[in-house]
Amino acid sequence: MSMPFYVSPEQLMKDRADYARKGIARGRSVVVLAYDGGIAFVAENPSRALHKISEIYDRIAFAAVGKYNEFENLRVAGVRYADLRGYSYDRSDVTARGLANAYAQTLGTVFTQESKPYEVEIVVAEVGATPDLDQIYRLTYDGSVADERGFVAMGGAAQSISTALGEQWRPGLSLGEALTLAVSVLADHPGDGEPRALGPDQLEVAVLDRQRDRRLFRRLTAALVERLLSPSDPTHDVPHDEAHGPGPHDVVGDPPPAPPA
Amino acid sequence: MSAPTDPSGRLPHAYLVPGSASFAEFLSDHAPRLLPSGRALPVGTVPEAPHGTTIVAVEFDGGVVMAGDRRATMGSMIANREIEKVFGADDYSCVGIAGTAGLAIELVKLFQVELEHYEKIEGTLLSLEGKANRLATMIRGNLGLAMQGLAVVPLFAGYDVESAQGRIYSYDVTGGCYTERHHHSVGSGSLFARGAMKKLWHRGLASDQAVRVAVEALYDAADDDSATGGPDLNRRIYPVVGVVDVEGYRRVDDAAMQAVVDTVVAGRRGDPGGADLDGQGVAS
């Protein structure tokens, strides 16, 4: 029987971290940033069906980069965690901090104990009653948690996007301004290759809108994103009236389609 | 009554298992004690518990109205005079409950989470038929309790996005689910409410007319059934009325209900059996 080679713990952890980082760096970036009326999530994602941004609970949303199957797994776990907690206690007892802790423990355990770490980076954000009470947690593949103020970038070009956001983001941006900023930094820092233009069709955009009741998460349609990004259009926030045509509850922006005859 | 957690604080394995989009199925695997059907009943007779009574549902052009009285009874005593028995289940449906109040409200809470959970996991709405069948499964799971006298009988109604109309589903204690046409009622006063609706309902009702029909039917139920509460004008306790149409579910607010109830009560002064819907009086 041959003896296994000795690998120092430092080397083992470094190898795993490098492996996870490489996986994450391959993906397109996601930006999460606070605006005056809530928290906006902007992902470069041409797919309409495979989401990188999702609702977890009333005031809590989830954004992720990396391997789809792994973060989808975590997202479903988060929804189960939140719904079970809300069901056995009360809706107001479901918090982003609790969920971020559970995710951190999970990612940390997987990183040290399983044969392969999760190649994901996630953000759990909770919108508060006022901008001061907003919480944005960023979790990395090894289970570290960071409590971020104002904005976060994840994915291949996270470093350069964070630097650019740090220079340009300020509290109290309108949604239109925040989206314009997010789209311009995503377009300027593709991670690989040259800066390019990003249209609404290549973006997945959602908000946690402080001014609604109960479930605050809304996806924005491409048409609404286009209006928000256009400097000549007066639209600068999501419409707040709850009345909408038939369809999923969490989408805003389209005029109600005509009912079938 | 909390769910098992992992001592390390990480999400328990069951959370990370890919699988069903059903919250009730997740609970039955992971925390069955949180389900009404997951708790064994001790031997012996069940002590008296509050019962909810009459629920009515009325279809109108492009939607459906559901209304419930506000009384819960325990034997001959009024256990609660402002209980709410009609709930929005999700954006496009509502559920009303008759039977053992504690279990029924637990079931409604579970049903609401079930629909929201599916919506979040799958990223799409369940069809109306799908929601009605989920509720049937939950009632079926409750059969053991029903045999001990703890029956729950819901009435489910919603707006069918596909066909752009309201639909009503009724249930029996074994989980049977039936589509009802035009109007239906469950609970101890349902006999009288059904009779009233049969005479008052007609095609082409508008939503406010349907609300009126529902309140008239509840009035008739309360008139003849001691377990159904009539509108309480002194305390300003009015029936809970929900409307579901293309705009989604909304509850009729108290100010609007007061106007409806005042009209109904005034219309029956000196003529307690009459329902003067068009304000013209019944031709004689």
Side-chain angles (χ1 to χ4, degrees):
Chain A
M1 193 180 128
S2 65
M3 284 283 286
F5 286 111
Y6 172 76
V7 183
S8 72
E10 288 87 350
Q11 187 59 43
L12 191 68
M13 292 302 139
K14 189 178 168 300
D15 288 352
R16 286 175 171 234
D18 286 346
Y19 175 81
R21 263 200 295 268
K22 262 185 223 155
I24 294 163
R26 275 196 289 271
R28 299 285 185 202
S29 305
V30 174
V31 168
V32 179
L33 72 175
Y35 67 99
D36 58 358
I39 299 174
F41 302 78
V42 186
E44 188 183 345
N45 183 6
S47 169
R48 295 279 139 253
L50 306 175
H51 296 303
K52 290 183 173 180
I53 303 167
S54 307
E55 173 183 19
I56 295 282
Y57 210 63
D58 292 354
R59 317 184 69 91
I60 305 172
F62 172 97
V65 294
K67 274 192 94 165
Y68 179 80
N69 67 324
E70 292 175 349
F71 69 69
E72 172 66 9
N73 205 239
L74 288 170
R75 177 188 78 88
V76 170
V79 172
R80 286 173 176 165
Y81 167 92
D83 278 344
L84 179 52
R85 211 173 162 84
Y87 180 67
S88 44
Y89 299 104
D90 182 73
R91 294 192 82 88
S92 60
D93 296 314
V94 181
T95 59
R97 197 179 55 83
L99 180 61
N101 272 329
Y103 275 147
Q105 297 299 339
T106 307
L107 287 167
T109 317
V110 171
F111 182 74
T112 50
Q113 293 178 5
E114 296 195 6
S115 52
K116 164 193 149 353
Y118 275 178
E119 295 159 70
V120 297
E121 210 169 300
I122 58 185
V123 159
V124 176
E126 175 175 353
V127 72
T130 63
D132 300 341
L133 299 174
D134 287 350
Q135 298 169 46
I136 304 178
Y137 297 100
R138 174 192 192 173
L139 295 119
T140 44
Y141 51 86
D142 61 352
S144 8
V145 198
D147 181 1
E148 306 279 354
R149 291 279 115 200
F151 60 86
V152 185
M154 305 182 289
Q159 203 68 48
S160 51
I161 292 179
S162 289
T163 314
L165 282 174
E167 287 159 6
Q168 297 173 61
W169 182 87
R170 59 184 166 75
L173 291 175
S174 74
L175 179 58
E177 292 165 336
L179 289 189
T180 310
L181 169 59
V183 174
S184 77
V185 294
L186 283 174
D188 289 348
H189 305 275
D192 48 359
E194 290 299 299
R196 73 278 190 236
L198 281 178
D201 289 339
Q202 293 146 279
L203 295 170
E204 180 185 355
V205 181
V207 294
L208 283 169
D209 180 6
R210 211 189 310 282
Q211 294 175 49
R212 289 174 192 274
D213 293 327
R214 225 169 78 96
R215 289 170 73 184
L216 308 184
F217 181 84
R218 291 294 183 278
R219 295 185 188 285
L220 275 55
T221 58
L224 179 59
V225 171
E226 188 162 8
R227 289 212 303 278
L228 286 163
L229 289 176
S230 153
S232 57
D233 196 289
T235 313
H236 62 86
D237 201 353
V238 287
H240 293 296
D241 50 337
E242 279 295 338
H244 56 81
H249 136 113
D250 65 352
V251 177
V252 285
D254 272 344
Chain B
M1 196 168 96
S2 102
T5 47
D6 194 284
S8 72
R10 68 171 286 188
L11 292 163
H13 178 67
Y15 288 54
L16 293 157
V17 176
S20 140
S22 162
F23 183 67
E25 275 170 33
F26 170 64
L27 279 191
S28 69
D29 289 343
H30 177 61
R33 284 165 308 135
L34 291 175
L35 287 174
S37 52
R39 297 188 290 261
L41 270 190
V43 200
T45 51
V46 179
E48 213 162 39
H51 271 66
T53 46
T54 312
I55 306 291
V56 300
V58 182
E59 283 180 15
F60 61 89
D61 255 8
V64 60
V65 162
M66 186 178 280
D69 73 305
R70 302 293 289 272
R71 182 170 290 178
T73 57
M74 209 158 73
S76 63
M77 199 174 77
I78 295 176
N80 192 328
R81 57 179 100 250
E82 48 187 329
I83 190 174
E84 298 191 357
K85 294 179 284 189
V86 173
F87 305 87
D90 69 350
D91 271 9
Y92 289 107
S93 63
C94 58
V95 56
I97 43 150
T100 313
L103 276 178
I105 288 170
E106 183 180 0
L107 209 76
V108 168
K109 266 189 73 182
L110 183 63
F111 185 54
Q112 288 169 327
V113 178
E114 174 83 10
L115 298 186
E116 188 186 319
H117 192 76
Y118 181 93
E119 216 178 280
K120 288 192 285 198
I121 301 251
E122 296 289 320
T124 171
L125 291 173
L126 259 176
S127 66
L128 191 62
E129 196 81 22
K131 295 176 203 172
N133 286 335
R134 278 312 303 169
L135 187 55
T137 313
M138 291 183 185
I139 299 298
R140 209 166 289 140
N142 202 42
L143 184 59
L145 291 166
M147 289 171 71
Q148 305 285 319
L150 299 173
V152 175
V153 182
L155 188 60
F156 178 68
Y159 176 80
D160 187 354
V161 177
E162 299 295 314
S163 64
Q165 59 178 353
R167 284 185 185 282
I168 301 171
Y169 297 86
S170 72
Y171 296 85
D172 63 35
V173 285
T174 63
C177 172
Y178 314 94
T179 313
E180 300 292 341
R181 289 164 68 86
H182 310 322
H183 48 77
H184 196 68
S185 174
V186 295
S188 61
S190 59
L191 213 61
F192 313 107
R194 278 184 210 177
M197 286 189 290
K198 215 177 266 180
K199 296 297 172 212
L200 295 176
W201 190 89
H202 58 82
R203 269 174 218 289
L205 285 177
S207 71
D208 54 337
Q209 289 173 308
V211 171
R212 177 76 186 277
V213 168
V215 175
E216 296 276 6
L218 281 180
Y219 191 102
D220 282 322
D223 209 25
D224 287 311
D225 172 37
S226 62
T228 304
D232 193 335
L233 298 177
N234 287 336
R235 294 192 182 83
R236 302 190 180 196
I237 300 172
Y238 309 121
V240 176
V241 182
V243 180
V244 193
D245 58 14
V246 66
E247 302 278 288
Y249 171 83
R250 66 185 175 279
R251 183 172 161 178
V252 181
D253 63 31
D254 268 2
M257 277 316 296
Q258 179 166 8
V260 176
V261 165
D262 283 347
T263 322
V264 170
V265 172
R268 297 197 182 214
R269 191 159 293 140
D271 181 17
D276 185 7
L277 274 194
D278 48 11
Q280 304 296 312
V282 179
S284 54

